[in-house]
Amino acid sequence: MQMAIAMGALGAAAAPKEQAAGKPGWKNDDFSWIRGANYTPSYAPNDVVIWRDFDAAVVDRELGYAADLGLNSVRTFLNYIVYEADPEGFARRFESYLALCERHGLRAMPVLFDSCFGQEPTLDWNGHWVMNPGTSREHPDFWPKLEPYIEVLVGRHRGDERVAIWDIMNEPVFSPGTVAFVKHWSARVRDIDSTHPVTVSVAGGLAFANAFADDQDVIAMHSYSFPMPMLRYQIDLMLDLGRAKGKPVII
């Protein structure tokens, strides 16, 4: 199991008694209840394999480990090309995943798209991490083909309390095409599902976060900074941005 602690609210005084995502009152949630991790099943080197070869027994066991660690959330990467090859099969696997999350008292943070690491995804590529949906599919001409994927994932789960937050894209690169892609799907997901917040998990500091701050309901930061004073400095910048925008911040 590949599990990296990666989720937690910043700057909250106390956790609310109720986890409101998926309910009408989620906008009053400060998300200080999140104790989570990135989760990639041990059988999968990338998110194509997670869903192409979905192994419910492995996922069940490993989500049990997460619950035993006291976590309540898992952030998991999806991939469009698996949906493209088998739409209903992908939908069934995603439902199975959500059911297993619920079984272990975990909320899901699905990552709809991913800008890392520059490898175009294919169904037979299984050795390295890959992008989702890939640079070739980010052009506006392709967006109509992505619409059913978003409807299956987001539209079918309006009001689903097993979902905590929709993460539009993992660490988007700062290019005009990718920025336009993220802004389009942030708006589209918010249009489709008003019962859940959206975020964009950015790396690269304040400039990246500020570029998408108005497109998300919860500001999410990734940091690879070292030593610790630099990380603390980046956290403080994000908290200032959150206060200025009136939005919660998670790391």
Side-chain angles (χ1 to χ4, degrees), residues 4-8 10 38 75 116 170-171 200-206 208-209 219-239 249-251:
I5 300 299
M7 292 170 58
L10 302 175
N38 286 318
R75 179 174 180 265
C116 299
N170 177 60
E171 300 187 3
V200 180
S201 292
V202 299
L206 184 61
F208 279 69
I219 295 172
M221 65 168 287
H222 293 183
S223 178
Y224 302 93
S225 294
F226 187 82
M228 187 57 68
M230 180 58 70
L231 173 60
R232 182 70 254 178
Y233 174 71
Q234 287 195 343
I235 290 173
D236 289 341
L237 290 177
M238 293 299 172
L239 289 173
V249 177
I250 62 174
I251 181 169

Side-chain angles (χ1 to χ4, degrees), residues 43-94:
Y43 63 83
N46 61 40
D47 47 23
V48 171
V49 180
I50 293 174
W51 303 103
R52 186 195 69 190
D53 303 333
F54 186 73
D55 190 326
V58 171
V59 173
D60 186 21
R61 181 177 67 245
E62 294 178 347
L63 292 183
Y65 298 157
D68 289 345
L69 288 170
L71 304 182
N72 61 21
S73 310
V74 279
R75 179 174 180 265
T76 302
F77 297 83
L78 309 175
N79 203 297
Y80 166 75
I81 69 163
V82 183
Y83 166 84
E84 182 182 49
D86 182 9
E88 288 306 315
F90 181 90
R92 287 193 301 271
R93 293 167 205 148
F94 185 62

Side-chain angles (χ1 to χ4, degrees), residues 19-205:
Q19 301 173 11
K23 301 177 182 178
W26 71 261
K27 292 185 179 180
N28 297 319
D29 196 341
D30 65 6
F31 296 91
S32 61
W33 53 267
I34 288 181
R35 300 184 303 279
N38 286 318
Y39 172 54
T40 302
S42 56
Y43 63 83
N46 61 40
D47 47 23
V48 171
V49 180
I50 293 174
W51 303 103
R52 186 195 69 190
D53 303 333
F54 186 73
D55 190 326
V58 171
V59 173
D60 186 21
R61 181 177 67 245
E62 294 178 347
L63 292 183
Y65 298 157
D68 289 345
L69 288 170
L71 304 182
N72 61 21
S73 310
V74 279
R75 179 174 180 265
T76 302
F77 297 83
L78 309 175
N79 203 297
Y80 166 75
I81 69 163
V82 183
Y83 166 84
E84 182 182 49
D86 182 9
E88 288 306 315
F90 181 90
R92 287 193 301 271
R93 293 167 205 148
F94 185 62
E95 282 297 323
S96 176
Y97 173 74
L98 292 180
L100 291 171
C101 285
E102 183 178 37
R103 176 178 178 178
H104 293 289
L106 301 165
R107 304 286 292 281
M109 183 177 178
V111 184
L112 302 176
F113 300 110
D114 187 2
S115 204
C116 299
F117 280 97
Q119 297 279 359
E120 289 283 321
T122 65
L123 288 175
D124 58 358
W125 183 278
N126 60 11
H128 300 279
W129 199 257
V130 293
M131 302 171 74
N132 172 31
T135 304
S136 65
R137 298 177 179 89
E138 285 188 11
H139 192 276
D141 289 346
F142 198 86
W143 293 353
K145 294 183 179 180
L146 295 172
E147 185 71 26
Y149 166 76
I150 294 299
E151 182 57 38
V152 164
L153 290 172
V154 177
R156 293 187 186 181
H157 296 93
R158 285 184 288 261
D160 191 336
E161 294 179 23
R162 299 172 298 178
V163 175
I165 303 172
W166 296 115
D167 192 342
I168 303 300
M169 180 171 261
N170 177 60
E171 300 187 3
V173 298
F174 211 50
S175 68
T178 300
V179 170
F181 181 88
V182 171
K183 287 180 174 292
H184 171 80
W185 291 110
S186 295
R188 186 70 186 112
V189 169
R190 291 168 107 178
D191 286 343
I192 293 172
D193 181 8
S194 63
T195 69
H196 293 100
V198 304
T199 192
V200 180
S201 292
V202 299

